[in-house]
Amino acid sequence: KGQKAKPYVLIIDEINIGNVSQIFGELITLIEEDKRLGRDESLEVILPYSGDKFGVPPNLHIIGTMNTADRSVEALDAALRRRFSFEELPPEPALIKTKGKAKDGVVGEINLLDLLTTINARVEKLLDKDHLIGHSYFMKVFDLKGLKAVFQNEINPLLQEYFFGDFGKIGLVIGSGFFKDGGIQAKDNENIFAEFGE
């Protein structure tokens, strides 16, 4: 009291997976900016076991992460949506070149930035922007063996989940020859899909 409080951050990963109202309980009201301790409309609750008064201080910041491709996002009730500001974090292919392990973002003759951009343009056309593949899959790739492993163990299973095992659509995304050179010139281009015998 009487001093500038040090900020604290609470990070809740996959916040949408659990039952949010049960996780937060009475905290759902107390975390609102104007209901924090020291604010005009501050509130406190009586803790059921100790009987102590409890309120949320203004120096506590809560960050909840979620994957928008997860269908449980739809279950988030309006109460939670009102109390948090939502910030979209789309894939950033440029980070593969600047921060990834592949030199200049290229493995063999494959430009990983173009690869991710091409795949995501196709996924967005077939599904929506909430199902885009993140750049993090390619950050650790530095050779062809690693790239094949990422596709086999991470990206292909993800695409199978996205398209419910419809290999025709998966083929349209990654193509029979992995993907075509040249990438995509425009997102609204009608002929953006890889050649595939489906």
Side-chain angles (χ1 to χ4, degrees):
K1 290 183 178 180
Q3 298 178 17
K4 185 169 175 65
K6 176 181 171 183
Y8 286 87
V9 178
L10 173 64
I11 300 174
I12 307 171
D13 193 25
E14 303 279 0
I15 192 171
N16 54 307
I17 298 293
N19 184 328
V20 175
S21 25
Q22 282 186 342
I23 293 168
F24 279 99
E26 293 165 316
L27 278 176
I28 199 73
T29 299
L30 299 181
I31 62 174
E32 290 183 48
E33 192 65 34
D34 59 339
K35 306 291 190 300
R36 304 278 185 112
L37 295 174
R39 300 287 193 244
D40 293 339
E41 298 178 35
S42 67
L43 290 177
E44 292 180 315
V45 295
I46 305 292
L47 296 175
Y49 295 111
S50 66
D52 295 338
K53 284 188 174 182
F54 177 79
V56 177
N59 62 324
L60 175 67
H61 305 278
I62 302 172
I63 298 173
T65 67
M66 65 180 73
N67 186 340
T68 51
D70 190 330
R71 287 168 193 81
S72 61
V73 171
E74 297 164 8
L76 287 178
D77 62 6
L80 186 70
R81 291 183 181 274
R82 279 198 319 269
R83 288 164 173 85
F84 284 90
S85 59
F86 285 74
E87 184 178 340
E88 184 181 5
L89 298 172
E92 295 183 53
L95 290 178
I96 298 170
K97 184 176 182 178
T98 59
K99 307 258 185 203
K101 292 193 173 184
K103 188 172 193 250
D104 295 324
V106 177
V107 168
E109 295 182 3
I110 299 172
N111 185 315
L112 298 179
L113 285 76
D114 291 344
L115 175 60
L116 180 59
T117 303
T118 300
I119 287 173
N120 277 338
R122 293 171 180 168
V123 167
E124 186 172 358
K125 192 93 165 173
L126 288 170
L127 289 172
D128 53 46
K129 68 182 180 72
D130 288 336
H131 288 79
L132 300 182
I133 305 291
H135 58 270
S136 63
Y137 291 110
F138 298 96
M139 297 296 284
K140 59 190 175 210
V141 171
F142 61 88
D143 61 6
L144 284 174
K145 184 180 177 185
L147 181 60
K148 288 178 186 178
V150 163
F151 267 87
Q152 180 178 344
N153 302 325
E154 300 180 65
I155 295 176
N156 285 347
L158 187 61
L159 292 174
Q160 287 179 41
E161 185 180 320
Y162 283 177
F163 296 112
F164 302 101
D166 184 338
F167 288 96
K169 287 182 180 173
I170 295 169
L172 289 173
V173 172
I174 59 175
S176 56
F178 198 60
F179 83 107
K180 289 182 76 171
D181 291 335
I184 297 170
Q185 300 305 316
K187 277 192 173 183
D188 58 353
N189 187 341
E190 289 299 315
N191 190 23
I192 66 168
F193 298 116
E195 288 180 11
F196 192 69
E198 179 73 17

